[in-house]
Amino acid sequence: MEEVQRHSVHTLIFRSLKRTHDMFVSNQGALPEIDDKLEKIRKSIKARDSYGLVFDRAAQAAESKKYSNGGVGAGMDALEGPEKPLAITDGSKDNMALLAGNNKNGDIPISNSLVSAPGMRSATGGSNVQLIPKKAPTIPKPTWHAPWKLSRVISGHLGWVRCIAVEPGNEWFATGAGDRVIKIWDLASGKLKLSLTGHVSTVRGLAVSAKHPYLFSCGEDRQVKCWDLEYNKVIRHYHGHLSAVYSLALHPTIDVLATSGRDSTARIWDMRTKANIHTLTGHTNTVASVVAQAVNPQIITGSHDSTVRLWDLAAGKSVCTLTNHKKSVRSVVLHPNLYMFASASPDNIKQWRCPEGNFVQNVSGHNAIVNCMAVNPDGVMVSGGDNGTMFFWDWRTGYNFQRFQAPVQPGSMDSEAGIFAMCFDQSGSRLITAEADKTIKIYKEDDEATEETHPVNWRPEILKRRKF
């Protein structure tokens, strides 16, 4: 066999470039010749489009100079004041001539704006509004919020604390953990009131009913349970999920329960009859978060397939799918007062307006896997990361006014810093977090802080283009 000659990379690249060059040169000869007249017209139109305001200003200045010297415009004294026509600058003479020539038969109407300066009246009597360049929009000044500080650390669970629910009366709160136990704590003192056992795997979701003495729980054992808090016993099971159940939510006005999990579905249950009313299918991966609201669309889900879906509860169908996130959405939170919600992903936290799911703004800066979020009525939004970072935001402007690393319990490794769940109490003045160091931490606002002692470190920046 004949040996193949080896060439250097430089020689091979040069030969490839030469072949490409020869191919394009041969194609170039087949193109029609450039028409100089058309090229000139094209350039003049481009110049008028880009620098029309400058041309008109220059023409206006030249015209006023002519009239003040009594020169060229002396024969036009019949037209007084702003009614005098303008000279057309050289850059657009050909364009005007072409338009005027084509307009003999009335084919192309010549716009007043082509031959007269902004702010001047044309000879036909029409008026032109002066084009003023828009001022770049700026970010509004954020509302001042007091900084938050750690007030209490509660320990008692033997596993990662995965979920929290505060009772509507604001007297106690419940937590669920990897030790398969649901614990109920006194909110004021932080003391343990009760432990509920029944789940055979990690408890991932909790919700307390505002109308009944019921506590609902779900977990990685595929079970959804209803606890009667008068007897501290399970009174109902909701069977149907095919895998771990990660989140649940109670509808605020009707007796239905929404759950979601690793089987890529969200399910709607009748609280009393245990009937599975709807199975909301459409997501292609774990549905990590579900929230329910009183008005349409009533159910919102966030999934590891990077989408957020809005569902019509009556029809059991998806109304809208928001595909703006690039990575998995682990948390969705409703604003307590506004008709808005936020979704969290490692790429960004995004705010949306209901009912269509219109995009409002990106809240950027929390560069971690965001497991949970919470919003209080004062417009403080908090996001908790898988690495133990907490970011506090002003809801309206998306300004980050505080950030810190949650301290781990003594004896824990730094790698056990992670925030899995958080929620505000009913007053919005205390923030409760569930963490990977097996503790529950309670934060509250610093009462001594004022706008003078903790000023807002904010500068009015030009609004950047919103990233999706």
Side-chain angles (χ1 to χ4, degrees), residues 297-443:
Q298 293 170 318
I299 303 292
I300 303 168
T301 55
S303 169
H304 287 193
D305 64 7
S306 309
T307 65
V308 177
R309 283 181 179 253
L310 286 69
W311 306 85
D312 180 0
L313 187 56
K317 290 181 181 177
S318 175
V319 176
C320 176
T321 304
L322 309 174
T323 58
N324 305 39
H325 283 290
K326 297 180 183 70
K327 295 183 180 177
S328 59
V329 180
R330 293 190 179 218
S331 179
V332 175
V333 66
L334 294 167
H335 192 285
N337 300 332
L338 303 175
Y339 196 27
M340 295 172 72
F341 68 96
S343 57
S345 172
D347 59 356
N348 254 324
I349 297 168
K350 297 181 187 291
Q351 291 178 351
W352 314 89
R353 187 173 287 108
C354 295
E356 283 90 13
N358 298 323
F359 175 77
V360 177
Q361 67 178 350
N362 278 324
V363 180
S364 305
H366 200 167
N367 298 319
I369 294 172
V370 181
N371 285 325
C372 52
M373 289 190 298
V375 187
N376 75 359
D378 295 332
V380 175
M381 181 170 73
V382 193
S383 55
D386 215 33
N387 56 1
T389 53
M390 285 177 68
F391 280 55
F392 291 78
W393 314 86
D394 176 42
W395 175 276
R396 186 173 59 91
T397 58
Y399 171 72
N400 173 221
F401 68 89
Q402 188 183 3
R403 64 177 74 176
F404 56 77
Q405 178 81 34
V408 294
Q409 192 178 22
S412 300
M413 296 181 291
D414 289 339
S415 59
E416 287 186 295
I419 300 164
F420 291 126
M422 58 171 53
C423 74
F424 285 98
D425 71 347
Q426 302 300 335
S427 66
S429 61
R430 282 173 288 191
L431 175 69
I432 308 164
T433 62
E435 308 201 5
D437 62 356
K438 304 172 188 172
T439 65
I440 300 134
K441 295 186 176 75
I442 299 179
Y443 297 84

Side-chain angles (χ1 to χ4, degrees), residues 44 47-48 51-63 66 86-97 114-116:
S44 67
R48 166 63 65 179
Y51 306 108
L53 194 62
V54 180
F55 287 161
D56 291 338
R57 288 277 168 84
Q60 193 176 351
E63 205 60 37
K66 283 178 191 176
L86 290 173
I88 298 166
T89 55
D90 294 338
S92 57
K93 274 180 184 173
D94 292 321
N95 186 19
M96 294 300 115
L114 289 171
V115 293
S116 59

Side-chain angles (χ1 to χ4, degrees), residues 156-233:
H157 278 292
L158 302 176
W160 288 354
V161 190
R162 301 302 303 240
C163 51
I164 305 169
V166 179
E167 179 250 341
N170 218 32
E171 292 179 2
W172 53 266
F173 67 94
T175 56
D179 58 6
R180 310 184 296 279
V181 180
I182 299 165
K183 290 182 182 284
I184 292 175
W185 311 85
D186 184 68
L187 188 57
S189 65
K191 290 181 179 176
L192 181 65
K193 295 178 74 170
L194 186 67
S195 291
L196 301 172
T197 57
H199 280 280
V200 294
S201 190
T202 304
V203 182
R204 292 295 294 262
L206 290 170
V208 186
S209 174
K211 297 188 288 183
H212 312 285
Y214 295 157
L215 169 70
F216 294 86
S217 64
C218 65
E220 293 182 7
D221 52 8
R222 299 182 295 182
Q223 295 186 43
V224 180
K225 296 176 184 283
C226 173
W227 303 79
D228 189 327
L229 296 173
E230 290 178 347
Y231 300 98
N232 300 329
K233 288 182 179 179

